[in-house]
Amino acid sequence: MLLLIGALIILLTIYLLIKQYETRMVLFCSGLVMAIIAGDPMAAFKAFSHAMQESKIFEPIIAVMGFAMVLKVTECDKHLVHFLARYLKKAGPFLIPGAVLVTFLINISVVSASGCSAAVGAILIPSLMASGVHPAIAGSAVLAGTYGAMFNPGFAPNIVVADVAKSTPMAVVANHAIPLATVGIIGAITLTVVAYLRKENKGYEPDASTINAGQQDFQVNLLKAFVPILPLLILILGNMNFVAAFKQVAISHAMIIGVFAAFLVTRMNPGKVVKEFWHGVGEGFGHIFAIIICSLVFVSGLNAIGVIQAAINLMISNTDIAKLSATFGPFLLAIMCGSGDAAQVAFNKAVTVHAAQFGINGMDMGSMAAIGGALGRTMSPISGAAIICATFAGVNPLELAKRNAPGMIVALVTLMVLLMYK
């Protein structure tokens, strides 16, 4: 009986998320209700308290978000975008896939999908349209690159995977780097094929305002353009033992070094830089980490009512069910609710922690769920990134979702083969 009630609450939770009710509220309340029905209301509150003490997850996430806010206020992200856009204009037939991959690269530093869409979309979408690319394809190209953040070891999903797999974020990124790069290229190529088949790769004639918006006379400062990639470079050089001194640098420390670099390069008022860093820290806690906390409360409810154990027993008896669940569960939920965060956190904290019992590598399963959620969000018409890109392109977000769908589906299946069946 409890399992049936739990299943109904899960369906109601999914429905409320699809209806765009506040994610944190829905997850927390659903978890609490299940815990109460199971006769253990304190399970939800204990999960909340335990999650608040997860400093190894909390520290890198808020540092990354703080650095991202500093990049925005100092406009270092804009210099990087313009620097890459300058060479993109010379890409010729590789213009569309080039736009996807440029966004993909920038998203590694500007980890917020919405923030990246705003920073990159304002420049690349008008530029693509001015080059004759149809607005829907131009918007789709930027949207299709907004899961490059999975290359950033400080990105929240990577932190969660590292936690459940008992590993490090750098190890997680190294493990899924080749599959992620592969699906990124697949998404870019597939969108290009869609554009050619729909004859939307050229021939569009924008108005003068669009041309001006995409070809502003912007002077790129190479030092400012370098700042966004500095923390990642430090982490890579340290973890690959190229620079012994960087081996000791934690993710949060690398982000703080990046903040100092942004100040030194831009000479902005230090008080403003510090203020924006802590503003980003607050955003990271209030939005990203809060979703993780509420997801854990939801998981505690699932555990109390017996749903998790029932799912584990089913997956132990059939490994393929576990692999398919990790692949399609977060992906489908992300499409429906427009966010991959809640889906992947809940799945990884509830199921991936038991991956060894299914005979699956925990890191592979965790990355599958995390990247799958990101792919689903990239073809969701109600995601924040889709709405922003559609606004710049002047089209309905659904038009972007339709054009990205083939690439994201092919990418998902490819990723499943590379991670789940290797």
Side-chain angles (χ1 to χ4, degrees):
M1 184 64 180
L2 285 179
L3 288 179
L4 178 59
I5 295 174
L8 291 174
I9 293 175
I10 292 172
L11 291 175
L12 178 60
T13 301
I14 294 173
Y15 172 79
L16 293 175
L17 290 174
I18 293 172
K19 287 294 185 179
Q20 298 289 286
Y21 282 86
E22 216 289 323
T23 302
R24 292 159 292 188
M25 177 189 70
V26 171
L27 292 174
F28 186 96
C29 291
S30 295
L32 180 59
V33 168
M34 284 188 285
I36 291 173
I37 292 174
D40 187 13
M42 288 306 298
F45 294 111
K46 288 178 181 177
F48 178 86
S49 297
H50 177 72
M52 290 289 282
Q53 299 168 24
E54 291 278 5
S55 59
K56 61 183 177 181
I57 297 178
F58 172 66
E59 181 183 338
I61 291 173
I62 64 170
V64 167
M65 295 306 293
F67 177 59
M69 192 63 73
V70 170
L71 291 180
K72 181 179 179 181
V73 72
T74 58
E75 295 192 339
C76 288
D77 58 349
K78 185 179 291 186
H79 283 267
L80 178 59
V81 174
H82 276 279
F83 173 74
L84 294 173
R86 174 192 297 173
Y87 295 96
L88 182 63
K89 293 176 182 177
K90 304 174 184 178
F94 300 103
L95 182 62
I96 295 171
V100 176
L101 296 178
V102 162
T103 307
F104 200 83
L105 290 172
I106 293 170
N107 190 221
I108 297 174
S109 297
V110 186
V111 294
S112 165
S114 296
C116 181
S117 297
V120 179
I123 299 165
L124 287 193
I125 292 176
S127 295
L128 289 169
M129 292 164 61
S131 300
V133 176
H134 189 279
I137 292 293
S140 298
V142 172
L143 180 60
T146 55
Y147 57 96
M150 288 300 301
F151 270 122
N152 190 323
F155 188 43
N158 289 327
I159 302 293
V160 172
V161 174
D163 183 50
V164 300
K166 308 302 180 189
S167 186
T168 65
M170 285 300 298
V172 170
V173 172
N175 183 63
H176 68 221
I178 293 177
L180 179 61
T182 301
V183 299
I185 294 171
I186 287 173
I189 293 174
T190 306
L191 179 62
T192 305
V193 172
V194 169
Y196 274 80
L197 291 177
R198 297 177 67 100
K199 301 187 185 305
E200 295 178 343
N201 60 304
K202 60 182 180 180
Y204 176 74
E205 297 182 3
D207 56 33
S209 62
T210 299
I211 295 175
N212 292 334
Q215 299 180 350
Q216 294 176 352
D217 184 18
F218 188 91
Q219 296 298 316
V220 174
N221 182 306
L222 292 179
L223 284 177
K224 292 180 181 179
F226 177 71
V227 169
I229 64 174
L230 176 61
L232 298 173
L233 187 61
I234 291 173
L235 292 172
I236 292 170
L237 292 176
N239 280 271
M240 296 184 72
N241 293 317
F242 288 136
V243 181
F246 292 165
K247 185 73 175 177
Q248 308 277 334
V249 179
I251 294 171
S252 57
H253 303 159
M255 299 303 153
I256 292 173
I257 292 172
V259 171
F260 277 103
F263 162 69
L264 292 174
V265 168
T266 62
R267 301 298 178 88
M268 180 173 281
N269 184 314
K272 187 171 184 180
V273 172
V274 171
K275 180 180 178 181
E276 289 303 317
F277 174 78
W278 290 108
H279 180 203
V281 166
E283 287 285 316
F285 183 87
H287 292 279
I288 308 300
F289 192 65
I291 288 178
I292 294 175
I293 292 172
C294 295
S295 294
L296 291 178
V297 172
F298 179 67
V299 169
S300 73
L302 292 174
N303 192 51
I305 210 165
V307 171
I308 290 179
Q309 190 57 53
I312 290 171
N313 292 338
L314 179 62
M315 291 179 186
I316 289 175
S317 64
N318 192 328
T319 303
D320 285 335
I321 292 179
K323 293 177 178 178
L324 291 173
S325 297
T327 302
F328 293 99
F331 175 77
L332 293 174
L333 185 57
I335 293 174
M336 293 185 290
C337 68
S339 171
D341 292 340
Q344 68 87 12
V345 171
F347 184 91
N348 282 331
K349 286 292 187 178
V351 180
T352 304
V353 289
H354 304 285
Q357 298 180 49
F358 317 139
I360 302 174
N361 180 287
M363 203 180 293
D364 291 338
M365 191 174 197
S367 290
M368 183 69 248
I371 301 174
L375 291 173
R377 187 262 306 147
T378 307
M379 59 172 281
S380 171
I382 59 175
S383 71
I387 293 170
I388 290 170
C389 290
T391 300
F392 282 125
V395 298
N396 190 302
L398 186 59
E399 296 302 314
L400 274 57
K402 289 192 299 185
R403 287 161 176 78
N404 272 343
M408 296 306 106
I409 293 171
V410 173
L412 181 74
V413 175
T414 303
L415 188 68
M416 179 177 67
V417 172
L418 294 175
L419 286 177
M420 296 284 91
Y421 293 95
K422 63 181 183 180

